[in-house]
Amino acid sequence: MNNKMKRIIGIDLGTTNSLSATVFDEGPEVIGTDGDFSVTPSVLSWTGSGWLVGQEARERRITNPENTVYSIKRLMGRSLDELSETVQDLPYQIVEAQRQLVKVRIGESKPYKEFTPQELSAEILKKVKQRAEEALGESVEKAVITVPAYFDDAQRQATRDACRIAGLEVARFINEPTAAAIAYGLDEKRDLQKDGHVVVYDLGGGTFDISILKLSGKIFKVVATHGNTQLGGDDFDQVVVETLKDRIHQEHPEAEFDDPESKHILKKTAEFIKIKLSFSPETDYSLDFSKKSMSFSGVFKLEEFESLIAPMIEQTLESCRHVLREANLSVKKIDEVVLVGGSTVIPAVRKQIESFFGRPPHVAIDPYKVVAIGAGIQGHLLAGGRRDFLLLDVIPLALGIETLGGTFSKIITGNTTIPIEESETFTTNVDNQTSIDVNIFQGERELIKDCRALGQFKLRGIPPMKAGLPLVEVMFRVDANGILTVSAIEKRSGKKAEIEVIPFHGLTQFEIERIMEDSFEHAVDDFNERQLIEFRQTAERVFRGIEQCWDVAENDLSETSRDEIQKQMDVVRQSMKGQDSQALKTQLDVLGDLTRPLADNSMGRSILSELQDDANLNQ
Amino acid sequence: MTFEQPACQKCESTLISHLFCLSCNAFQTVPPEIDYFEVLGFPVCFEINSEDLEERYKSLSLVLHPDFFAAAPEEEKRLSEKASAMLNTAYNSFRGTTSRAGYLLSLFSKGKNLNERTLPDGFLQEMFFLQESLDELLESSDSSALNKMNEDLRTRHKEIESYYAPLFKNFKDLPEDSDILQQLQTHLNAERYLRRLLDRIPATD
Amino acid sequence: MELGLVGAPECGDVMKLQIQVNPETNEDAKFKTYGCGSAIASSSLLTEWVKGRHLDDAEQIKNTEIAEELALPPVKIHCSVLAEDAIKAAIHNYKSRKKIDV
Ligand SMILES: Nc1ncnc2c1ncn2[C@@H]1O[C@H](COP(=O)(O)OP(=O)(O)OP(=O)(O)O)[C@@H](O)[C@H]1O
Ligand SMILES: [Mg+2]
C-alpha cells in the first residue's frame, strides 16, 4: 500500500458477530491480533457507567442478564409496532421513544438508562474500529460498511447515524451478499466462473438476503435482490426455545421464563443445541436456572430440529423463486451458488439449496468471514488501491410517494441500478397555495399501508399562483450507498422550493451531536474502570482456554514452557486483584505470548468450545 | 435526424458519450435535455444490438462510476454521480424493447400532436374480459389453465413487440408520415394492457 | 342498467361502470376497475359522487374535480380522466338507447 493512500477497511456489522478486513500485501484478510480471535460478538453489557462490548459482554449474558444486550441490528430503523414479536423474545427491555423510535432500557427502576439502537450499534463499531487500529498499528478513519441487501432506507440511515456516532466515516455502504460475491469473484484461487449468473444466499444471525449477480469481466452487476431483514439464526434459536419451554412445562407446569436470566439461558442453550446438531444427529443438553433452583436436561434430535425450521427454510426458497422471477431467469440459467452466513452451515439448509438450484453450492471461503473480506476489497478500490473491478448494485425496494388516500405511486422501481435520479412534478390544488406536503414511502405493494413510511417533505416557498399552475419538480436521488436524498425546484419561476425532510425513524443532527457529547464524557470517566473489567474477563477466558488444552500441551510444550506459563498465570492473578488496568494488560500480553502455540483459530470450534464451557458451568 | 460526432470540451477529441471524454478523462458539461442516445453514444435508431449496449454500458461505467472518484474533489464526485445516474437511466430504458420504442417515439412525436390514447378496435372489451377470466383462474387455482393463459399472453406480447422495428424502419423512409407514429402509439398502448395482465400471474418454477 | 367501459392506456387501466337510472336519477352505481391505485381511487370516488344525482348533473362532473379531491399528481391525471370518461360513456349509452337527443 503506498504511503499517500489512506487505508479504508471493510466492516461486517453483523447481528451476531462483527469483524473487519483489509487488503494486506499478501492479499485480503480479516483483521485480528495474533492469537486473539478477530471476531467481535455484537453483544453489549452495561457496567453501571459504560459498555463492555464483544466477547466480555457475551460472557456476562448469564451473570448479568438484565444489562446484556444483543441482536441490536434487528432494531435498527424499526418502530415498536414492527418489532412487537421480536421484542417479546428479548431479555432486555425495549421502550417507545419519540417519532416512532425505540430505545433499549437498562435498569430495574428509575432513573433508567435509555439508549437508541444507533448508539448501541455505534459502541460495537467503536470496538471493531479500536481492535482494527490495535492490530494494524495505525489509525482508522474510514470504512466500507456492509448492510443486508434488503435493508430499506430507514435501516440504512440508522446505520449511517451509528457510524457518525462512532466517529467512523462511511466510505461506502455495500450490500452483504454483494460483498461476498466480490470476495469469491476476485479470489484467483477459486474456480468460480468469471462470466455468468451467480446466486448469493446469505443466512446470518438476524437477516436473510438473496441476490443474483451477473459477472462479466470484472463487473459485478446485481440483477435482482430479495430477502427478509427479520429472518435468521435468531429465529431458529427461538423455535428451539419454545420447544424447550414446552418440555420443561410438562415436568414443571408452573415454571415461568419471562425474567431476563431465563431468557438468556434458554437462548444460549438453544443456540448450543442448534450448533451441535449441525455436526451430529442428536445432542444432550442441560439447563440450570440457578435463581429458581431448577434444572432440566434432555436430548434433542436432529429430526425434530429440522421439522421446526422447515417452514423458515421454505420462506427463504420462496424468496429465491421471487428473485428469479424478478431477474427473468430460470434455475437452469444460474451458473454458481454461493453460501454466506453462519446459518448456512446447517445441513438441512444446504440440502434444500442444493436441490432447489440443482447444484452443490460453494462454501469454501469461511462463511463467517467472506462478507468482511469483500468489504475490505471494496475499501481498497475506493482508497485507490486498484481500479480493475466494479460493483453495480441495486436499490432493493421501490421508492415513491403517497399520491392520494392510501395509494403508493412508485418513482424509482425496485432493483434499479444505483446511483439513480428520477423526478416527479407536483402542483397545487388551491389558488395561491405556497406549500405542498409529500409523504415518502418504500415498498413493493400498491397501498401505502403495506409499505414503509420514510418521512415527509414540506415543500415551501412556492410562488403564489393559480391552482394547478406551479410545477414543482421533486428530484429523488439514490446515491451509490443506496441512500435517498430529495430536492425540489419550481419550474415556472425557477425558484428552488425549500424542502424540509422529517424522517420518521431517524435521528436529527442535533440528537446525534448530543449522543456524541454524552458518550465522550462517559468515555473519559470510565475508561480505566471499563478496561479493568474487560481485562479481568479476558484473563479468566484465557485461563479457561489454557486449562482446556493443558493435556494436549503436555505433548506440545516443553517442561520449561509449561512452568513459565504457570508462573505467569500467578502473576496475572495477582494483577487482577489490583486497580491498574495497564499493568494487568502488560502481564496478560506476556501470558499471551507464552501460550501462542496453544491458540486455536477456527471459529466454529471456538464457539463450540465456549458454549460447551458455559454448558459445563451450568451443570 | 442526423448523428453528429461531438467533440470533447477540453481536448477536442471525438466523444462517444456526451457525458465523458474517454481520451482525456474529463466530464463534459451537458444540457439537461441531453437524450439517451447522446448519453450512450449511439445513433438515433430503434435497433440497437443488445451486446453493443451491454459493452457500451460496461465501458462507460468503468470510467464514470463514483467508486473511482471516492478520493476526488467534491465537485468531481458530484459529476460522477450525476453522470452515472444518467447512464443508468438511459441503459435501463434501452434494455427493454418496449421502453426503447416508447422513448424513441417520444423523441419523434415532439410537436406532432399524436393521439396518445388510441387502442385497436374492440381491444378494451377483450382486455376487460381477460382480466375477469384471470380473476376466476386465480381463484380456482387451476394451474394448467393458468399456464395456458400465461403462454397465450406471452405470445401476444412478443408479437406486439415484433411490430416496432418494421414501423420505425418505415418511418425512416417516410419521416413525414405521422400515421406510422400513430400506429406505434397504438401498439405501445396495447402492450401496456398485456403487461398488466402478465404481471398478475404469479411465478411458477 | 347502463354500462360504460373505458380505458386509460397511459397505465393500461380499464374501468367498467354500471349505473341504474330511474327515471332521470342515478339510483345506484357500481364499478370494477383493473388498474393502478389512482385509477381505483378515482373510480370509487366517482361512483360515490354520482349516486342519487340527476343525470344532467352527473354528466357535468369534471376530471379536475376528482383530481383535486384526490390530490393527484400531474402524471396521474389520466386516472381522473378515466373516471370522467366512464360516467360520460354510461350516460351516453343510456340516452342513445332511450333515443333522447343529445
Ligand atoms: N455451526 C453452526 N450451525 C448452525 N448455526 C450456526 C453455526 N455457526 C453459527 N451459526 C449461527 O449463525 C448465526 C451467526 O452467523 P453470522 O455470523 O453469519 O451472522 P451475522 O453476520 O452476525 O448476522 P447478519 O448477517 O444476519 O446480520 C448465529 O445465529 C449462529 O447461531
Ligand atoms: Mg452477516
Side-chain angles (χ1 to χ4, degrees), chain B residues 139-158:
Chain B
E139 220 156 273
S140 75
S141 60
D142 176 350
S143 62
S144 74
L146 197 60
N147 280 342
K148 167 99 178 48
M149 182 163 187
N150 192 13
E151 261 164 45
D152 290 351
L153 289 171
R154 271 181 206 289
T155 313
R156 269 186 81 174
H157 187 261
K158 269 211 192 99

Side-chain angles (χ1 to χ4, degrees), chain A residues 14-17 73 205-207 233 271 274 278 341-343 345-346 368:
Chain A
T15 311
T16 325
N17 297 305
K73 189 168 168 183
T207 59
E271 192 181 8
K274 174 183 77 174
S278 288
S343 300
V345 177
I346 297 173
Y368 311 100

Side-chain angles (χ1 to χ4, degrees), chain A residues 142 172 214 216-217 219 221 321 325 356 378 381-382 387 389-392 416-422 475 477 479-480, chain B residues 54 57-58 61-63 65-68 70-71 81-82 84-85 88-89 91-92 95 154 198-203 205:
Chain A
K142 283 192 183 187
R172 182 74 81 236
K214 186 164 185 250
S216 54
I219 296 199
K221 187 173 189 305
R321 280 181 209 112
R325 180 178 155 98
F356 184 91
Q378 177 72 5
L381 176 92
L382 293 178
R387 48 178 307 147
F389 78 94
L390 175 63
L391 167 61
L392 295 168
T416 301
T417 309
I418 50 175
I420 194 81
E421 284 186 10
E422 295 289 344
M475 179 80 84
R477 263 181 53 211
D479 64 14
Chain B
E54 285 302 317
Y57 175 66
K58 269 200 282 181
S61 293
L62 275 171
V63 292
H65 196 275
D67 280 1
F68 302 119
E81 194 169 300
K82 186 113 197 146
S84 264
N88 284 332
T89 309
Y91 167 74
N92 283 335
R95 227 162 21 135
R154 271 181 206 289
L198 282 167
D199 282 347
R200 290 185 62 204
I201 301 176
D205 33 37

Side-chain angles (χ1 to χ4, degrees), chain B residues 33-134:
Chain B
E33 60 279 2
I34 178 174
D35 71 45
Y36 297 168
F37 292 95
E38 294 168 329
V39 167
L40 288 159
F42 285 124
V44 181
C45 172
F46 173 70
E47 275 171 287
I48 294 178
N49 178 309
S50 70
E51 272 159 37
D52 291 349
L53 178 64
E54 285 302 317
E55 246 346 282
R56 184 61 54 81
Y57 175 66
K58 269 200 282 181
S59 62
L60 288 172
S61 293
L62 275 171
V63 292
L64 289 178
H65 196 275
D67 280 1
F68 302 119
F69 296 89
E74 278 311 310
E75 174 64 8
E76 238 180 308
K77 270 192 203 170
R78 213 183 47 77
L79 285 170
S80 118
E81 194 169 300
K82 186 113 197 146
S84 264
M86 282 187 183
L87 178 63
N88 284 332
T89 309
Y91 167 74
N92 283 335
S93 160
F94 279 13
R95 227 162 21 135
T97 312
T98 294
S99 61
R100 190 166 72 242
Y103 182 75
L104 191 55
L105 180 64
S106 74
L107 288 188
F108 285 155
S109 60
K110 263 190 198 123
K112 284 235 163 84
N113 248 335
L114 292 189
N115 179 353
E116 287 178 2
R117 316 188 68 203
T118 48
L119 285 169
D121 285 345
F123 187 79
L124 214 48
Q125 284 76 0
E126 190 199 355
M127 287 302 115
F128 197 85
F129 171 76
L130 285 176
Q131 288 279 14
E132 285 191 311
S133 324
L134 183 54

Side-chain angles (χ1 to χ4, degrees), chain A residues 328-497:
Chain A
N328 220 337
L329 291 170
S330 65
V331 171
K332 287 179 230 89
K333 289 272 166 61
I334 300 301
D335 301 295
E336 306 277 1
V337 179
V338 170
L339 295 186
V340 183
S343 300
T344 59
V345 177
I346 297 173
V349 172
R350 292 200 176 170
K351 222 164 34 210
Q352 295 268 9
I353 296 304
E354 179 161 352
S355 82
F356 184 91
F357 288 103
R359 71 182 60 245
H362 284 259
V363 281
I365 299 188
D366 191 337
Y368 311 100
K369 292 183 179 172
V370 59
V371 168
I373 289 179
I377 299 175
Q378 177 72 5
H380 191 52
L381 176 92
L382 293 178
R386 65 192 288 180
R387 48 178 307 147
D388 61 339
F389 78 94
L390 175 63
L391 167 61
L392 295 168
D393 219 322
V394 298
I395 169 177
L397 294 156
L399 285 162
I401 51 166
E402 176 180 7
T403 37
L404 51 112
T407 60
F408 177 55
S409 151
K410 292 177 184 175
I411 291 179
I412 300 178
T413 53
N415 290 320
T416 301
T417 309
I418 50 175
I420 194 81
E421 284 186 10
E422 295 289 344
S423 57
E424 173 101 14
T425 310
F426 295 86
T427 190
T428 51
N429 297 315
V430 195
D431 290 351
N432 298 328
Q433 185 179 340
T434 56
S435 72
I436 303 177
D437 288 358
V438 183
N439 292 317
I440 318 160
F441 286 82
Q442 184 164 30
E444 290 295 330
R445 306 280 294 277
E446 290 270 311
L447 298 176
I448 52 149
K449 72 172 173 52
D450 303 316
C451 296
R452 202 77 213 296
L454 294 181
Q456 187 183 56
F457 311 123
K458 286 185 185 298
L459 297 170
R460 296 228 173 82
I462 300 169
M465 281 184 241
K466 278 194 88 60
L469 269 190
L471 291 176
V472 184
E473 186 179 73
V474 178
M475 179 80 84
F476 283 66
R477 263 181 53 211
V478 180
D479 64 14
N481 296 311
I483 288 185
L484 172 73
T485 46
V486 190
S487 60
I489 191 163
E490 201 288 307
K491 292 218 327 218
R492 274 183 216 284
S493 64
K495 200 171 169 234
K496 266 216 158 63

Side-chain angles (χ1 to χ4, degrees), chain B residues 2-16:
Chain B
T2 54
F3 184 62
E4 281 170 40
Q5 286 288 336
C8 169
Q9 292 156 355
K10 206 168 141 206
C11 76
E12 300 197 339
S13 50
T14 309
L15 288 180
I16 296 176

